[in-house]
Amino acid sequence: MSWEAVIGLEIHVQLRTSRKLFCGDLVVFGAEPNRHVCPVCLGLPGALPAVNPEAVRLALRAALALGCTVHPESVWARKNYFYPDLPKGYQITQFDRPLATGGALVFDAASGGEGQVRLRRIHMEEDAGKLLHDRIPGATAVDLNRAGTPLVEIVTEPDLRDPADARAFLGALKRTLEYVEVSDCNMEEGSLRVDANVSVRRAGEDRLGTKTEIKNVNSFSGIERALRMEVARQVGVLEDGGQVVQETLVWDDHRSELRAMRSKEESHDYRYFPDPDLPVLRVSPRTLDEARAALPELPRARRARIQEVFGLSAYDADVLTQARATADYFEAVAGALGDGALAARWVSGPLQALMNRRGEAADALPLRPPTLAALVRLVEEGTVSDAAAKKLLPELAETGETDVRAVVEARGLVQVRDEGRLEAWIDGVLDAHGEEVRRYREGEGRLLGYFVGQVMKASGGAADPRRVRELLLQRLAER
Ligand code: ADP
Ligand code: MG
C-alpha cells in the first residue's frame, strides 16, 4: 500500500524596513556586532516599545498579496523563554489574535499544472539576536544587532503532498513577496527562514499522522532534500510497525543529515499573554484600502498578461517575470521597440547574462531600457553587427553612456557596406589565398566560411558579414 506525505510550512520573512519594529535602531546586515542597539531592544528596565508603522504597512502588503483577511484589531503578545539571544526574556509576537488569517497561494506544481496552498495565518513579530560561536575562543558571544528586526511569520495549512512542491511553493511565495517589495527574501542572510512540518499516512486516509518539524534549512533545495529524507524515514518506521515520535529535527546541510534536537531544547511553555506595554494594533478600513490600491500586479497575473500582450512563449514569459525589475525592464524595451519577441530575445539573453555577471538586478543596471532599445535598433537597421552590439553591452553598463550611436562610431563599429571598400578587402583575401580558392573551386564549399572570416579580419571587424558573404559568392563564381 502506498504512502502519502503531508507537509505544512512556517516561514519567517524579514520585512524590508530601515528600522527595527519597536525602536529607531537601523536594521543593517553584517554590521559590527552590537552597533545598532538601544534600551528598547536591549530590554533595559523602563524602556517602552513603539510600533514602527512602516513595518505594519509592509506586513499588510504581504497579507493582501496572499489574499488573507486582515483583522481590524490584532494583539501583541509576549512569548516568554530564556535564551541568551533574547535580552528581554520574551519575544514580542502575535498569538491568538494575529494580523491576518486565511488566504492562499497558487503555484506551478513540480509535476506540472497548478498547485494551491491555503494559509492559516500571518502575524508580525520581532527577531532575536544572534549567538556567535566562532569569535571568542572557548566562549560564545552575542550580537544583538538583529534583536527587534521586524518579521512576519506565515503559517500554511498542511496542504502540500510532495517535497518538490514544497520547494515550488516557496519559490512562488518568494517571488510574490519580492514583487510587492515586502522583503528581499535572501535565505543566506536569513531574511527568509523556513521550518517544515511533515507527517505521512496511508494513501486514502483522512486523519493526519504524527508530524516532525525540520529546522535550520538554509536553501530551497535543502528543504526538498530534508523532506524527502524525513518522509522516507517515517515510512520506514511505520512499515516496521513502529510509531513516529513528535520531535524537532535539525538539518545538517554539509552532511545531508537530520538530527534530533535534544528534547529539553524544545519543551517550552511560552506562557503567552498580551503585552501590557503595547496597545491593540488597529488597521483602519482606509489604511487597508490604501494598502490594497498600492499593490502592484502580482507575478502570475503579470506573466499571463506579458505572454498574451507580447505574444511570447510560456517559457519566455516565465523567465522575464522571475523578478519584477526584469519584467519592468522588458516591458520598457518592448514598448520602445514595438516588438515583444525582439525585446524578449535581448533581455532574456545578453542582458540577463550581463546582470548575472555584474550581480545586479535590472533596476540597478546603469544601462537603461531606452539605451538598449537604441542599440537593438542599430542592429536591426544593419548599422552595427549583432556580435559587436553584444560586446558593447558591458561597456554601456559600466559607463551608463546613453548616446549609443556616438559610442558605436567612436569604437569604429559602424558596419561597412560600401561595395568598393568591401571588394577591396575581398580581393586582397582571395589574392593572398590562391591555394584555398583552387580547393574551393574543386568542391570544398565549406571554405566559404573561412574566406568570410579572413575578410572580417582584414576589415578589423567592420565589414557587414552578410554583405561580405554575398559578394564573396559572386566573386568566387566569376574568377
Ligand atoms: P504546532 O502546534 O506543533 O506548532 P500547528 O498546528 O501550529 O502545530 O501547525 C504548525 C505547522 O505544521 C502548520 O504549517 C501546519 O500546517 C503543519 N502541520 C500541523 N499538523 C501537521 C501534520 N500532522 N502533518 C504535517 N504538517 C502538519
Ligand atoms: Mg506552531
Side-chain angles (χ1 to χ4, degrees):
M1 210 192 206
S2 69
W3 295 90
E4 175 179 75
V6 175
I7 301 163
L9 304 174
E10 294 166 289
I11 304 122
H12 285 91
V13 178
Q14 180 177 327
L15 298 174
R16 238 177 67 166
T17 56
S18 55
R19 295 183 188 278
K20 294 187 180 180
L21 184 50
F22 299 113
C23 61
D25 287 321
L26 292 175
V27 175
V28 187
F29 180 80
E32 189 191 322
N34 301 307
R35 277 303 290 266
H36 301 287
V37 294
C38 74
V40 172
C41 56
L42 290 176
L44 300 188
L48 282 175
V51 176
N52 173 355
E54 175 69 3
V56 176
R57 202 180 61 80
L58 292 182
L60 275 181
R61 279 171 83 80
L64 291 173
L66 297 168
C68 302
T69 303
V70 174
H71 300 295
E73 293 190 347
S74 59
V75 174
W76 299 105
R78 289 187 182 179
K79 176 179 179 177
N80 301 278
Y81 63 94
F82 291 104
Y83 205 65
D85 65 4
L86 189 72
K88 294 198 294 291
Y90 60 85
Q91 176 195 28
I92 306 179
T93 177
Q94 298 187 305
F95 183 54
D96 50 0
R97 297 188 59 191
L99 178 74
T101 50
L105 184 69
V106 174
F107 64 99
D108 295 331
S111 55
E114 277 187 356
Q116 181 177 323
V117 171
R118 291 167 302 151
L119 304 177
R120 189 175 279 181
R121 58 187 276 148
I122 296 188
H123 68 253
M124 299 184 69
E125 62 187 30
E126 60 176 339
D127 208 345
K130 200 160 76 182
L131 297 184
L132 307 172
H133 302 286
D134 53 3
R135 291 295 175 94
I136 302 171
T140 295
V142 61
D143 174 12
L144 295 171
N145 282 343
R146 209 178 65 183
T149 297
L151 310 176
V152 286
E153 180 174 347
I154 302 170
V155 183
T156 78
E157 294 292 346
D159 286 349
L160 290 156
R161 295 289 174 269
D162 177 353
D165 276 343
R167 180 180 182 172
F169 164 80
L170 287 168
L173 180 69
K174 174 170 148 73
R175 214 194 273 202
T176 300
L177 296 173
E178 285 171 347
Y179 259 65
V180 296
E181 296 175 320
V182 156
S183 174
D184 57 23
C185 294
N186 187 332
M187 265 192 128
E188 283 109 69
E189 293 184 4
S191 57
L192 187 116
R193 307 197 284 269
V194 182
D195 298 336
N197 300 270
V198 57
S199 61
V200 298
R201 63 185 175 189
R202 298 267 183 201
E205 173 79 64
D206 286 332
R207 263 185 335 177
L208 293 174
T210 302
K211 73 175 163 77
T212 56
E213 179 171 0
I214 302 171
K215 284 187 181 294
N216 200 37
V217 194
N218 51 20
S219 68
F220 288 176
S221 73
I223 294 279
E224 183 177 345
R225 281 182 288 133
L227 281 169
R228 275 192 201 295
M229 188 170 286
E230 177 57 7
V231 168
R233 187 192 68 86
Q234 290 185 13
V235 167
V237 167
L238 295 174
E239 285 192 336
D240 287 347
Q243 281 187 335
V244 173
V245 178
Q246 178 156 355
E247 62 183 337
T248 300
L249 304 167
V250 181
W251 174 246
D252 180 332
D253 200 63
H254 285 297
R255 300 191 190 173
S256 283
E257 121 191 336
L258 287 162
R259 276 196 307 272
M261 223 183 201
R262 277 168 293 145
S263 61
K264 247 175 84 183
E265 286 177 349
E266 52 162 327
S267 61
H268 289 305
D269 171 8
Y270 293 121
R271 299 178 296 119
Y272 283 98
F273 64 87
D275 193 312
D277 289 343
L278 285 160
V280 163
L281 177 62
R282 292 201 164 79
V283 179
S284 72
R286 181 157 154 231
T287 306
L288 203 55
D289 285 346
E290 281 170 4
R292 201 173 274 123
L295 275 188
E297 188 177 26
L298 297 176
R300 294 181 74 81
R302 186 151 198 198
R303 185 175 70 181
R305 180 178 59 77
I306 280 187
Q307 184 180 350
E308 162 87 26
V309 168
F310 296 100
L312 305 179
S313 68
Y315 177 81
D316 279 345
D318 191 60
V319 168
L320 291 167
T321 51
Q322 287 284 343
R324 183 175 154 194
T326 306
D328 291 343
Y329 200 107
F330 162 74
E331 287 206 62
V333 175
L337 291 174
D339 185 337
L342 184 62
R345 214 160 57 233
W346 279 86
V347 174
S348 67
L351 191 83
Q352 185 64 54
L354 181 70
M355 295 193 304
N356 294 348
R357 257 203 320 279
R358 293 175 60 94
E360 257 169 7
D363 53 350
L365 207 60
L367 167 59
R368 302 312 306 150
T371 310
L372 179 63
L375 182 64
V376 174
R377 257 188 240 111
L378 291 183
V379 175
E380 289 302 295
E381 70 187 34
T383 304
V384 58
S385 74
D386 196 84
K390 280 176 186 154
K391 278 205 210 109
L392 211 52
L393 288 178
E395 181 185 331
L396 292 173
E398 202 49 49
T399 60
E401 177 63 64
T402 55
D403 189 345
V404 182
R405 189 173 283 272
V407 174
V408 164
E409 278 165 11
R411 295 279 169 285
L413 293 174
V414 175
Q415 292 194 108
V416 174
R417 281 179 291 168
D418 173 77
E419 306 261 311
R421 291 180 66 195
L422 292 180
E423 272 165 10
W425 284 318
I426 287 171
D427 287 341
V429 166
L430 294 184
D431 288 346
H433 295 86
E435 170 62 13
E436 283 81 2
V437 171
R438 191 185 56 73
R439 278 165 47 203
Y440 177 86
R441 292 248 161 71
E442 283 167 10
E444 248 184 275
R446 63 185 180 82
L447 279 168
L448 182 65
Y450 172 76
F451 294 135
V452 173
Q454 290 302 310
V455 174
M456 290 308 293
K457 203 165 140 195
S459 75
D464 174 355
R466 233 175 312 168
R467 194 68 197 123
V468 166
R469 174 174 291 266
E470 286 164 13
L471 291 174
L472 264 170
L473 279 170
Q474 280 174 24
R475 188 51 62 89
L476 283 163
E478 285 163 11
R479 275 200 173 203

